[in-house]
Amino acid sequence: MCTKTFGEVFYLRRDSSETKRKILTVCVRLFLEQGYTSTSVSQIVDEAGVARGSYLNLFPTKDKILLELTETMFGGQFGVARSIADSKLPPMYAYAVDTAIQLTLTELNENLREIYIEAYTAPDTAEYIYVHTTAELKEIFGGNFPDYSESDFYEMEIGTAGLMRNYMARKCDIHFPLERKISRFLTAALRVYKVPEEEQARVLAFIQSLDIKAIATEVMYKLFAMLEMKYDFKLSKNGETEVTT
């Protein structure tokens, strides 16, 4: 019977960790520079300088890599929204800011649009979003549903996340500008969570008072900088500045 020494196990783990880091570094950069679907496994293993088998052992599908990226992107997202919304306002204003930023980000950068849509579609990443958002929803809207458990809010989040995904997928144009998209989504979502019409109007007025494109642009560049630092890469100029008006 063959057994590995502590030193051998340590080096195997270190090697696996280094391979994972190389793969994630290449993947996150390529997803942001050229898009999720345009990034092939062959390109990943070539640029990362790793064996295809090693890649598949760590990440059987690209969705597993997307999950790592989604956790990073969504991790502090609501905190950013809270910092923008006045702390004296009810938490639903931070919810509105958060969703408005997400919708705007997908209009600023097509590769981010693709990442968000894939994140809301793939089972593992969608599940992460559902679970991550459920606790926030219960805290924000729990007073409107005193008998609802987290499971109830989880089920409601599946519905509103589906709305979010579909609104992200529909690109804005002169007939459906960003302001209308944000207003339509928030009206639908706030009605689901039984927010009174008068309060809905105040929330929408608050969002309309913000320069949401400028805010989302700042958030986008901070996100890019954070990902560059975490995964130790530098975006190309084209990948970093793909912003539309």
Side-chain angles (χ1 to χ4, degrees):
M1 180 177 178
C2 179
T3 59
K4 292 182 173 64
T5 66
F6 173 80
E8 288 173 324
V9 171
F10 173 80
Y11 283 113
L12 283 171
R13 287 180 178 173
R14 189 177 69 173
D15 183 61
S16 177
S17 177
E18 179 64 15
T19 300
K20 183 177 181 180
R21 186 194 65 78
K22 288 180 180 178
I23 292 169
L24 286 172
T25 295
V26 167
C27 285
V28 174
R29 176 176 60 79
L30 291 176
F31 291 171
L32 292 174
E33 288 183 346
Q34 65 184 37
Y36 178 80
T37 56
S38 296
T39 301
S40 67
V41 172
S42 295
Q43 185 179 15
I44 294 168
V45 298
D46 285 347
E47 295 208 19
V50 301
R52 192 181 187 92
S54 299
Y55 166 86
L56 293 174
N57 282 336
L58 290 167
F59 299 105
T61 66
K62 273 202 304 183
D63 291 353
K64 298 298 183 185
I65 298 172
L66 183 63
L67 179 59
E68 296 254 359
L69 178 56
T70 301
E71 289 175 354
T72 300
M73 289 173 60
F74 279 80
Q77 192 167 274
F78 202 76
V80 172
R82 285 187 192 275
S83 70
I84 294 169
D86 191 325
S87 60
K88 297 176 183 177
L89 294 172
M92 77 176 71
Y93 284 75
Y95 168 82
V97 171
D98 180 46
T99 54
I101 289 173
Q102 285 191 56
L103 288 169
T104 306
L105 283 173
T106 61
E107 295 301 320
L108 294 176
N109 185 290
E110 286 302 310
N111 293 334
L112 276 181
R113 184 198 302 276
E114 190 178 50
I115 289 169
Y116 270 101
I117 291 172
E118 290 290 340
Y120 275 94
T121 303
D124 287 347
T125 48
E127 179 68 12
Y128 172 83
I129 293 170
Y130 301 155
V131 173
H132 181 76
T133 309
T134 292
E136 298 285 358
L137 293 176
K138 191 173 189 301
E139 179 182 344
I140 295 168
F141 301 110
N144 297 339
F145 305 90
D147 298 326
Y148 273 30
S149 66
E150 284 204 2
S151 294
D152 294 308
F153 281 96
Y154 171 86
E155 292 163 2
M156 295 167 78
E157 161 61 7
I158 292 173
T160 51
L163 284 176
M164 174 68 91
R165 185 216 175 276
N166 289 334
Y167 274 105
M168 285 177 167
R170 170 58 163 84
K171 296 181 182 181
C172 290
D173 54 32
I174 59 172
H175 304 293
F176 190 47
L178 178 61
E179 294 75 14
R180 183 182 294 274
K181 176 186 280 193
I182 292 171
S183 176
R184 288 293 190 191
F185 173 79
L186 285 175
T187 298
L190 293 176
R191 283 176 177 168
V192 167
Y193 295 112
K194 291 186 178 181
V195 176
E197 296 287 327
E198 300 82 4
E199 188 65 21
Q200 289 181 38
R202 287 191 286 270
V203 172
L204 290 174
F206 173 75
I207 295 298
Q208 289 163 6
S209 73
L210 302 174
D211 187 345
I212 200 67
K213 281 190 177 180
I215 292 169
T217 299
E218 183 180 357
V219 169
M220 180 176 69
Y221 286 126
K222 286 182 177 178
L223 171 63
F224 288 169
M226 181 267 291
L227 291 172
E228 286 179 328
M229 183 175 294
K230 177 171 181 176
Y231 294 108
D232 192 22
F233 67 87
K234 191 69 178 174
L235 285 170
S236 69
K237 195 65 176 175
N238 288 338
E240 187 179 350
T241 59
E242 185 191 349
V243 182
T244 59
T245 56

